[in-house]
Amino acid sequence: AQSVAQPEDQVNVAEGNPLTVKCTYSVSGNPYLFWYVQYPNRGLQFLLKYITGDNLVKGSYGFEAEFNKSQTSFHLKKPSALVSDSALYFCAVREPPYNQGGKLIFGQGTELSVKP
Amino acid sequence: GAGVSQTPSNKVTEKGKYVELRCDPISGHTALYWYRQSLGQGPEFLIYFQGTGAADDSGLPNDRFFAVRPEGSVSTLKIQRTERGDSAVYLCASSLAFGGGHNEQFFGPGTRLTVL
């Protein structure tokens, strides 16, 4: 069965420092991977996705993620954190077969806190 | 442009009652998804529609849950004989036609259901 793990419930970073939010996955075949962000009382917002091609994917708000097939990881990164980045982050994997819809399997979420 | 909208934003009901939750997807999105998010958890898939038909309802927890999308646009999630364990935020998402499965899903703000 496909699964996603976010090993850290919370990540604390000082403003201006780089941030990493970790995600590992387990899926049969080549994975389609996504990152979403959830601000309080708001819906999930799409950040970026990996489908194929370059392992480093760039997304919204200066975020990027690195796909590592050998480590089955898709960590979210940002070179310089902002206080406004504080939110709940979800990693998700699209479940194959890919010709049968877009069901996403989400991780538990990681709470990112950026302090001034 | 308009995003995914969901009504009501909050619903409080009593155990045993019937509730309906509405989702209005982004115009032109043929795929529509329902997820359920419990406190401290990632969203869990319930059902998805391609057009008017339910292409995958494997996530519906039991036969008290039912969803329709009669004209291929607005969808209604229906819960009969509600139980306290049904309390959660119900999220709706939509995407372009799934061919290839790499299209990102756009989420609504959710309906917070509380069963007393």
Side-chain angles (χ1 to χ4, degrees), chain A residues 61-107:
Chain A
Y61 312 119
F63 283 93
E64 58 190 27
E66 186 170 10
F67 171 67
N68 188 317
K69 188 172 184 177
S70 63
Q71 297 185 5
T72 62
S73 67
F74 188 55
H75 300 332
L76 181 70
K77 301 181 180 184
K78 188 173 182 181
S80 179
L82 300 173
V83 172
S84 58
D85 292 330
S86 299
L88 190 56
Y89 290 80
F90 290 97
C91 182
V93 64
R94 166 81 168 74
E95 184 177 75
Y98 297 129
N99 61 340
Q100 293 184 16
K103 174 180 175 179
L104 291 175
I105 298 170
F106 285 86

Short mmCIF file of all heavy atoms in Angstrom, two decimals, chain A residues 61-107:
data_model
loop_
_atom_site.label_atom_id
_atom_site.label_comp_id
_atom_site.label_asym_id
_atom_site.label_seq_id
_atom_site.Cartn_x
_atom_site.Cartn_y
_atom_site.Cartn_z
N TYR A 61 6.13 30.75 -3.56
CA TYR A 61 6.63 31.43 -2.36
C TYR A 61 8.10 31.11 -2.05
O TYR A 61 8.51 31.15 -0.90
CB TYR A 61 5.76 31.09 -1.14
CG TYR A 61 4.29 31.21 -1.39
CD1 TYR A 61 3.45 30.11 -1.26
CD2 TYR A 61 3.72 32.42 -1.79
CE1 TYR A 61 2.08 30.21 -1.50
CE2 TYR A 61 2.36 32.53 -2.04
CZ TYR A 61 1.55 31.42 -1.89
OH TYR A 61 0.21 31.53 -2.13
N GLY A 62 8.87 30.77 -3.06
CA GLY A 62 10.29 30.50 -2.87
C GLY A 62 10.63 29.10 -2.37
O GLY A 62 11.79 28.81 -2.08
N PHE A 63 9.62 28.24 -2.27
CA PHE A 63 9.87 26.87 -1.83
C PHE A 63 10.39 26.01 -2.96
O PHE A 63 10.08 26.23 -4.14
CB PHE A 63 8.59 26.25 -1.26
CG PHE A 63 8.25 26.73 0.12
CD1 PHE A 63 7.41 27.80 0.31
CD2 PHE A 63 8.79 26.09 1.23
CE1 PHE A 63 7.09 28.26 1.58
CE2 PHE A 63 8.48 26.53 2.52
CZ PHE A 63 7.64 27.61 2.68
N GLU A 64 11.14 25.00 -2.60
CA GLU A 64 11.60 23.99 -3.54
C GLU A 64 11.62 22.65 -2.82
O GLU A 64 11.56 22.59 -1.59
CB GLU A 64 12.98 24.35 -4.10
CG GLU A 64 14.05 24.51 -3.05
CD GLU A 64 15.34 25.10 -3.62
OE1 GLU A 64 15.29 25.84 -4.63
OE2 GLU A 64 16.41 24.81 -3.03
N ALA A 65 11.69 21.59 -3.60
CA ALA A 65 11.75 20.26 -3.01
C ALA A 65 12.67 19.40 -3.85
O ALA A 65 12.75 19.55 -5.08
CB ALA A 65 10.36 19.64 -2.93
N GLU A 66 13.35 18.49 -3.17
CA GLU A 66 14.30 17.61 -3.85
C GLU A 66 13.82 16.19 -3.79
O GLU A 66 13.63 15.62 -2.71
CB GLU A 66 15.68 17.73 -3.21
CG GLU A 66 16.74 16.94 -3.96
CD GLU A 66 18.15 17.24 -3.48
OE1 GLU A 66 18.29 17.92 -2.44
OE2 GLU A 66 19.10 16.81 -4.15
N PHE A 67 13.62 15.62 -4.96
CA PHE A 67 13.23 14.22 -5.07
C PHE A 67 14.48 13.36 -5.03
O PHE A 67 15.43 13.58 -5.79
CB PHE A 67 12.47 13.99 -6.38
CG PHE A 67 12.21 12.55 -6.69
CD1 PHE A 67 11.36 11.80 -5.90
CD2 PHE A 67 12.79 11.95 -7.80
CE1 PHE A 67 11.10 10.47 -6.19
CE2 PHE A 67 12.53 10.62 -8.11
CZ PHE A 67 11.69 9.89 -7.29
N ASN A 68 14.50 12.37 -4.14
CA ASN A 68 15.62 11.46 -4.03
C ASN A 68 15.08 10.04 -4.09
O ASN A 68 14.52 9.54 -3.12
CB ASN A 68 16.38 11.70 -2.72
CG ASN A 68 17.66 10.91 -2.64
OD1 ASN A 68 17.70 9.72 -2.99
ND2 ASN A 68 18.74 11.54 -2.20
N LYS A 69 15.27 9.41 -5.24
CA LYS A 69 14.68 8.10 -5.46
C LYS A 69 15.31 7.04 -4.57
O LYS A 69 14.63 6.17 -4.03
CB LYS A 69 14.80 7.70 -6.93
CG LYS A 69 14.04 6.44 -7.29
CD LYS A 69 14.04 6.20 -8.78
CE LYS A 69 13.19 4.97 -9.12
NZ LYS A 69 13.12 4.75 -10.59
N SER A 70 16.62 7.10 -4.40
CA SER A 70 17.31 6.06 -3.61
C SER A 70 16.91 6.13 -2.13
O SER A 70 16.85 5.10 -1.46
CB SER A 70 18.81 6.21 -3.76
OG SER A 70 19.25 7.45 -3.24
N GLN A 71 16.61 7.33 -1.65
CA GLN A 71 16.19 7.48 -0.26
C GLN A 71 14.68 7.58 -0.12
O GLN A 71 14.18 7.77 1.00
CB GLN A 71 16.87 8.72 0.35
CG GLN A 71 18.38 8.62 0.40
CD GLN A 71 19.03 9.80 1.12
OE1 GLN A 71 18.34 10.66 1.66
NE2 GLN A 71 20.35 9.84 1.10
N THR A 72 13.98 7.47 -1.20
CA THR A 72 12.50 7.61 -1.24
C THR A 72 12.06 8.82 -0.44
O THR A 72 11.17 8.72 0.43
CB THR A 72 11.77 6.33 -0.78
OG1 THR A 72 12.11 6.06 0.58
CG2 THR A 72 12.13 5.14 -1.64
N SER A 73 12.69 9.95 -0.73
CA SER A 73 12.36 11.16 0.02
C SER A 73 12.00 12.29 -0.93
O SER A 73 12.36 12.30 -2.11
CB SER A 73 13.54 11.58 0.90
OG SER A 73 14.64 11.99 0.12
N PHE A 74 11.28 13.26 -0.37
CA PHE A 74 10.85 14.43 -1.13
C PHE A 74 10.78 15.59 -0.13
O PHE A 74 9.71 16.07 0.20
CB PHE A 74 9.51 14.16 -1.80
CG PHE A 74 9.07 15.23 -2.77
CD1 PHE A 74 9.88 15.63 -3.83
CD2 PHE A 74 7.82 15.82 -2.66
CE1 PHE A 74 9.46 16.59 -4.73
CE2 PHE A 74 7.39 16.79 -3.56
CZ PHE A 74 8.21 17.17 -4.60
N HIS A 75 11.94 16.03 0.34
CA HIS A 75 11.99 17.05 1.38
C HIS A 75 11.72 18.44 0.82
O HIS A 75 12.23 18.80 -0.24
CB HIS A 75 13.36 17.05 2.06
CG HIS A 75 13.70 15.75 2.72
ND1 HIS A 75 12.76 14.87 3.21
CD2 HIS A 75 14.91 15.17 2.96
CE1 HIS A 75 13.35 13.82 3.72
NE2 HIS A 75 14.66 13.96 3.58
N LEU A 76 10.97 19.22 1.57
CA LEU A 76 10.63 20.59 1.20
C LEU A 76 11.69 21.52 1.79
O LEU A 76 12.06 21.38 2.97
CB LEU A 76 9.25 20.96 1.74
CG LEU A 76 8.73 22.35 1.42
CD1 LEU A 76 8.40 22.47 -0.07
CD2 LEU A 76 7.49 22.66 2.26
N LYS A 77 12.13 22.51 1.01
CA LYS A 77 13.19 23.39 1.47
C LYS A 77 12.92 24.83 1.07
O LYS A 77 12.18 25.11 0.12
CB LYS A 77 14.54 22.94 0.88
CG LYS A 77 14.94 21.54 1.25
CD LYS A 77 16.29 21.16 0.66
CE LYS A 77 16.65 19.74 1.06
NZ LYS A 77 18.00 19.34 0.60
N LYS A 78 13.55 25.73 1.83
CA LYS A 78 13.53 27.14 1.49
C LYS A 78 14.81 27.76 2.02
O LYS A 78 15.17 27.52 3.17
CB LYS A 78 12.30 27.84 2.08
CG LYS A 78 12.13 29.27 1.58
CD LYS A 78 10.81 29.86 2.05
CE LYS A 78 10.65 31.28 1.49
NZ LYS A 78 9.38 31.91 1.94
N PRO A 79 15.53 28.51 1.22
CA PRO A 79 16.84 29.03 1.63
C PRO A 79 16.77 30.00 2.81
O PRO A 79 17.67 30.03 3.64
CB PRO A 79 17.36 29.73 0.37
CG PRO A 79 16.58 29.14 -0.76
CD PRO A 79 15.24 28.81 -0.19
N SER A 80 15.69 30.79 2.89
CA SER A 80 15.59 31.81 3.92
C SER A 80 14.14 31.90 4.39
O SER A 80 13.27 32.36 3.66
CB SER A 80 16.07 33.16 3.38
OG SER A 80 15.97 34.17 4.36
N ALA A 81 13.89 31.45 5.61
CA ALA A 81 12.52 31.37 6.12
C ALA A 81 11.98 32.75 6.50
O ALA A 81 12.72 33.63 6.96
CB ALA A 81 12.47 30.44 7.33
N LEU A 82 10.66 32.91 6.32
CA LEU A 82 9.95 34.10 6.74
C LEU A 82 8.96 33.74 7.84
O LEU A 82 8.44 32.62 7.87
CB LEU A 82 9.18 34.70 5.56
CG LEU A 82 9.99 35.12 4.33
CD1 LEU A 82 9.05 35.53 3.20
CD2 LEU A 82 10.92 36.27 4.68
N VAL A 83 8.67 34.71 8.70
CA VAL A 83 7.67 34.47 9.75
C VAL A 83 6.34 34.04 9.12
O VAL A 83 5.63 33.17 9.64
CB VAL A 83 7.49 35.72 10.62
CG1 VAL A 83 6.32 35.54 11.59
CG2 VAL A 83 8.77 36.02 11.39
N SER A 84 6.03 34.62 7.96
CA SER A 84 4.77 34.31 7.28
C SER A 84 4.73 32.90 6.71
O SER A 84 3.66 32.45 6.25
CB SER A 84 4.52 35.33 6.16
OG SER A 84 5.59 35.31 5.24
N ASP A 85 5.85 32.18 6.72
CA ASP A 85 5.86 30.78 6.29
C ASP A 85 5.29 29.85 7.36
O ASP A 85 5.07 28.66 7.10
CB ASP A 85 7.28 30.32 5.94
CG ASP A 85 7.84 31.00 4.72
OD1 ASP A 85 7.05 31.36 3.82
OD2 ASP A 85 9.08 31.19 4.66
N SER A 86 5.08 30.35 8.56
CA SER A 86 4.56 29.53 9.65
C SER A 86 3.18 29.00 9.27
O SER A 86 2.25 29.77 8.99
CB SER A 86 4.47 30.36 10.93
OG SER A 86 5.73 30.82 11.34
N ALA A 87 3.06 27.69 9.23
CA ALA A 87 1.82 27.04 8.79
C ALA A 87 2.00 25.53 8.94
O ALA A 87 3.03 25.05 9.40
CB ALA A 87 1.51 27.40 7.33
N LEU A 88 0.97 24.81 8.51
CA LEU A 88 1.00 23.35 8.52
C LEU A 88 1.28 22.85 7.11
O LEU A 88 0.62 23.28 6.16
CB LEU A 88 -0.36 22.84 9.02
CG LEU A 88 -0.55 21.37 9.33
CD1 LEU A 88 0.47 20.90 10.35
CD2 LEU A 88 -1.96 21.15 9.85
N TYR A 89 2.26 21.99 6.96
CA TYR A 89 2.70 21.53 5.64
C TYR A 89 2.41 20.04 5.49
O TYR A 89 2.71 19.25 6.39
CB TYR A 89 4.19 21.81 5.44
CG TYR A 89 4.47 23.28 5.29
CD1 TYR A 89 4.54 24.10 6.42
CD2 TYR A 89 4.62 23.86 4.04
CE1 TYR A 89 4.76 25.47 6.29
CE2 TYR A 89 4.84 25.22 3.91
CZ TYR A 89 4.90 26.01 5.04
OH TYR A 89 5.11 27.36 4.90
N PHE A 90 1.84 19.70 4.34
CA PHE A 90 1.50 18.32 4.05
C PHE A 90 2.19 17.84 2.78
O PHE A 90 2.14 18.50 1.75
CB PHE A 90 -0.01 18.16 3.85
CG PHE A 90 -0.82 18.32 5.09
CD1 PHE A 90 -1.42 19.53 5.38
CD2 PHE A 90 -0.97 17.26 5.97
CE1 PHE A 90 -2.17 19.68 6.53
CE2 PHE A 90 -1.73 17.41 7.13
CZ PHE A 90 -2.32 18.62 7.41
N CYS A 91 2.79 16.67 2.90
CA CYS A 91 3.32 15.97 1.75
C CYS A 91 2.26 14.96 1.30
O CYS A 91 1.52 14.41 2.13
CB CYS A 91 4.60 15.24 2.16
SG CYS A 91 5.45 14.35 0.85
N ALA A 92 2.16 14.74 0.00
CA ALA A 92 1.15 13.81 -0.51
C ALA A 92 1.71 13.04 -1.71
O ALA A 92 2.55 13.56 -2.45
CB ALA A 92 -0.12 14.55 -0.91
N VAL A 93 1.23 11.83 -1.88
CA VAL A 93 1.62 11.01 -3.02
C VAL A 93 0.36 10.62 -3.78
O VAL A 93 -0.68 10.33 -3.17
CB VAL A 93 2.44 9.78 -2.56
CG1 VAL A 93 1.60 8.85 -1.71
CG2 VAL A 93 2.98 9.03 -3.77
N ARG A 94 0.48 10.66 -5.06
CA ARG A 94 -0.62 10.25 -5.91
C ARG A 94 -0.56 8.75 -6.05
O ARG A 94 0.48 8.19 -6.31
CB ARG A 94 -0.46 10.95 -7.25
CG ARG A 94 -1.27 10.46 -8.36
CD ARG A 94 -2.68 11.01 -8.31
NE ARG A 94 -3.27 10.69 -9.58
CZ ARG A 94 -3.66 9.46 -9.93
NH1 ARG A 94 -3.55 8.49 -9.07
NH2 ARG A 94 -4.12 9.24 -11.13
N GLU A 95 -1.71 8.10 -5.86
CA GLU A 95 -1.72 6.65 -5.88
C GLU A 95 -1.87 6.13 -7.31
O GLU A 95 -2.81 6.51 -8.01
CB GLU A 95 -2.88 6.14 -5.03
CG GLU A 95 -2.94 4.64 -4.91
CD GLU A 95 -4.06 4.19 -3.99
OE1 GLU A 95 -5.22 4.26 -4.40
OE2 GLU A 95 -3.75 3.79 -2.85
N PRO A 96 -0.97 5.27 -7.79
CA PRO A 96 -1.15 4.66 -9.10
C PRO A 96 -2.28 3.64 -9.07
O PRO A 96 -2.70 3.25 -7.98
CB PRO A 96 0.21 3.98 -9.35
CG PRO A 96 0.79 3.76 -8.00
CD PRO A 96 0.25 4.82 -7.11
N PRO A 97 -2.82 3.22 -10.18
CA PRO A 97 -2.37 3.53 -11.55
C PRO A 97 -2.77 4.92 -11.96
O PRO A 97 -3.83 5.41 -11.57
CB PRO A 97 -3.09 2.47 -12.39
CG PRO A 97 -4.30 2.13 -11.59
CD PRO A 97 -3.91 2.25 -10.15
N TYR A 98 -1.95 5.55 -12.74
CA TYR A 98 -2.13 6.96 -12.99
C TYR A 98 -3.17 7.26 -14.05
O TYR A 98 -3.43 8.41 -14.35
CB TYR A 98 -0.79 7.60 -13.36
CG TYR A 98 0.20 7.51 -12.22
CD1 TYR A 98 1.47 7.03 -12.42
CD2 TYR A 98 -0.16 7.92 -10.95
CE1 TYR A 98 2.37 6.95 -11.38
CE2 TYR A 98 0.73 7.85 -9.90
CZ TYR A 98 2.00 7.36 -10.12
OH TYR A 98 2.88 7.28 -9.09
N ASN A 99 -3.78 6.24 -14.60
CA ASN A 99 -4.85 6.50 -15.56
C ASN A 99 -6.21 6.37 -14.91
O ASN A 99 -7.22 6.34 -15.57
CB ASN A 99 -4.75 5.52 -16.73
CG ASN A 99 -4.89 4.07 -16.29
OD1 ASN A 99 -4.70 3.78 -15.12
ND2 ASN A 99 -5.22 3.20 -17.20
N GLN A 100 -6.24 6.34 -13.59
CA GLN A 100 -7.51 6.14 -12.90
C GLN A 100 -7.72 7.13 -11.78
O GLN A 100 -8.00 6.77 -10.66
CB GLN A 100 -7.60 4.72 -12.36
CG GLN A 100 -7.67 3.66 -13.44
CD GLN A 100 -7.84 2.27 -12.87
OE1 GLN A 100 -8.21 2.13 -11.71
NE2 GLN A 100 -7.59 1.26 -13.67
N GLY A 101 -7.55 8.38 -12.10
CA GLY A 101 -7.96 9.37 -11.12
C GLY A 101 -6.86 9.91 -10.28
O GLY A 101 -5.72 9.46 -10.35
N GLY A 102 -7.19 10.89 -9.44
CA GLY A 102 -6.20 11.66 -8.74
C GLY A 102 -6.18 11.52 -7.25
O GLY A 102 -5.77 12.44 -6.54
N LYS A 103 -6.56 10.36 -6.72
CA LYS A 103 -6.60 10.15 -5.27
C LYS A 103 -5.23 10.44 -4.67
O LYS A 103 -4.22 9.90 -5.11
CB LYS A 103 -7.00 8.71 -4.99
CG LYS A 103 -6.94 8.25 -3.56
CD LYS A 103 -7.38 6.79 -3.51
CE LYS A 103 -7.24 6.19 -2.13
NZ LYS A 103 -7.69 4.77 -2.15
N LEU A 104 -5.20 11.32 -3.66
CA LEU A 104 -3.96 11.65 -2.96
C LEU A 104 -3.93 11.00 -1.59
O LEU A 104 -4.94 10.93 -0.90
CB LEU A 104 -3.83 13.16 -2.80
CG LEU A 104 -3.58 14.00 -4.05
CD1 LEU A 104 -3.60 15.48 -3.73
CD2 LEU A 104 -2.25 13.63 -4.69
N ILE A 105 -2.74 10.54 -1.22
CA ILE A 105 -2.52 10.03 0.13
C ILE A 105 -1.60 11.02 0.83
O ILE A 105 -0.50 11.30 0.35
CB ILE A 105 -1.89 8.64 0.08
CG1 ILE A 105 -2.85 7.67 -0.62
CG2 ILE A 105 -1.54 8.15 1.47
CD1 ILE A 105 -2.24 6.34 -0.95
N PHE A 106 -2.07 11.54 1.96
CA PHE A 106 -1.37 12.60 2.66
C PHE A 106 -0.59 12.07 3.86
O PHE A 106 -0.98 11.08 4.50
CB PHE A 106 -2.36 13.65 3.17
CG PHE A 106 -2.90 14.56 2.11
CD1 PHE A 106 -4.01 14.19 1.36
CD2 PHE A 106 -2.30 15.78 1.85
CE1 PHE A 106 -4.52 15.03 0.37
CE2 PHE A 106 -2.80 16.63 0.86
CZ PHE A 106 -3.91 16.25 0.12
N GLY A 107 0.49 12.77 4.18
CA GLY A 107 1.18 12.55 5.43
C GLY A 107 0.41 13.19 6.57
O GLY A 107 -0.63 13.83 6.37
#
